[in-house]
Amino acid sequence: MAKMKAPSGSKKITKAWLEFMLAEYESKERPGTSVSVADFSVKQGIPPGEGFNSELVLVDITAELSSGPGDAQEKTYHLAAKFLHVDPIAAELNRRFQSHIKELRMYAEVVHELNAFLAAGVPEESQICIPKMIYGKENGSEYVLVMENIKAAGYMTNDKRKGLDVDHVKRSVEEIAKVHAVSYAYNKSHNFLEKFPCYQFKAKYLNIIPAFLKFSLKNCVACLNTVKGKEELAQKVGKAHPILSKKFHALFDDFGNECLCHGDFWNCNIMFKYQQHDDGQEQTLEGIKLIDWGNSSWHNPMIDLQYLLHTSTTLELRKTHIDDILQKYHTVFTSLTTKLGAPLPHYSYSAFREDWERTAIYGFILGNITIQGTLSTTYSTTKSQGPSILDHGALTPIRLVVNSIKTGMAKLIGPIILGKFVGIMLKPIQREILSGTNEVLNARLLDVLCEADEKGLFDE
């Protein structure tokens, strides 16, 4: 089958490319299958601004498949396609951190490898659940990842403003515990990073955190200043940046590299499917799939647990159910690693809880930053962007020059430029916090601040 250049974005998707891509996919099961696309539509997969690492579009296709004379059949496809972000700065940062490569390899190789290992060791255990990959290509100049659109199969995300309830949290930690346990056990006999070196955690991944922390803490002080009786805590948080930075980096100095972690494990990267009962009222959680693996790396599993609990649950839930949730994770993780021949004999639940408390600093810092970025309604990147004058065909040369300048800027970006960029992004959130109009944002932010203070995270 002749090769075809992948489109660079949603506007470049053509009928010819769809036919080529689907023929390659279908020929894996029925060699020689040809595909003739009768109709297709392309629409944005997420609201403007929510795709920080990539452009996500949904593609619906009606096609006719044929693998020989008299063997034609009609088939409908509901797909999700990811391309590098159209903004040159975002695309360059994406390349710098290899997010696109890591996500493509997760779908193309890693999960298949881990599931094969799991099936061989514990055949009765359900597989790691991610959307099915249809097509992928990455060669430096081209990148596209096409998956099944699981929304069309009934999967949906939970409302991020409400947060996950206890049943959804338990199901989520059960699934991530499986990923952690299988990769941990696999590594004992196969050396995961030797086969998949792009998942090696690198210190440069942390370089972006100090800038976000500095400005997010200013917003935290603004939040506390809107609450009567929190003046003392506001002063403490205002002086906490060097303390938190020191604790955060010390944590990573002795964090341990143990398993494959998702890295962005929060509410909107977990999709659930429900079974509707006959009465039309009740529904049962039936399935779960984990999406968006671009931030995955080989690290300590606590980064996923801390991130999930501090970005996607309320303080009330954590106080009421934290022990049940952590018990669920610990049971699944230790049971599955034992079944796979890699037991952790000295990792009792009490030792696990010590790890949880020790890594609370990670939960607060990432939770604080992510809550501001995801719950704000004035976050600059979520504003819809209309068509640019540079999109006009006659101005293509100018657009190319502008894009090359942006790309050059991204390659030179350093702590000072990054700090100014982050400050510009987070300033509108501070105004929203001070206005008091976003009650959910202010309440969740206040919760993580009070919780962190109770744990002594702002103290020397």
Side-chain angles (χ1 to χ4, degrees), residues 32 66-72:
S66 176
S67 55
D71 188 36

Side-chain angles (χ1 to χ4, degrees), residues 241-259:
H241 183 256
I243 299 170
L244 293 172
S245 294
K246 182 179 179 180
K247 290 182 178 181
F248 184 75
H249 285 284
L251 178 67
F252 279 84
D253 288 341
D254 187 29
F255 211 17
N257 299 322
E258 300 177 25
C259 64

Side-chain angles (χ1 to χ4, degrees), residues 387-415:
S388 167
I389 190 173
L390 295 180
D391 288 336
H392 193 285
L395 298 177
T396 296
I398 298 176
R399 186 180 71 247
L400 293 176
V401 171
V402 171
N403 286 351
S404 66
I405 292 172
K406 286 184 176 180
T407 301
M409 289 172 60
K411 289 180 178 179
L412 296 173
I413 198 166

Side-chain angles (χ1 to χ4, degrees), residues 41 78 80 87 114 140 150 205 230 243 255 275 299 307 342 349 373 375 399 410 442 449:
S41 64
H78 301 288
D87 180 76
L114 294 180
I150 59 176
Y205 296 159
K230 297 298 180 183
I243 299 170
F255 211 17
Q275 180 183 16
H299 221 299
Y307 194 76
Y349 180 65
L375 295 184
R399 186 180 71 247
N442 283 31
L449 287 164

Side-chain angles (χ1 to χ4, degrees), residues 424-453:
I424 292 171
M425 283 200 305
L426 297 189
K427 192 66 175 178
I429 301 178
Q430 183 179 123
R431 290 195 291 267
E432 182 177 23
I433 290 170
L434 289 170
S435 74
T437 56
N438 190 335
E439 294 180 6
V440 174
L441 170 61
N442 283 31
R444 291 272 286 275
L445 197 54
L446 180 62
D447 278 351
V448 296
L449 287 164
C450 292
E451 186 179 24
D453 188 41

Side-chain angles (χ1 to χ4, degrees), residues 88 300 303 309 389:
N300 186 290
I303 71 169
L309 270 295
I389 190 173

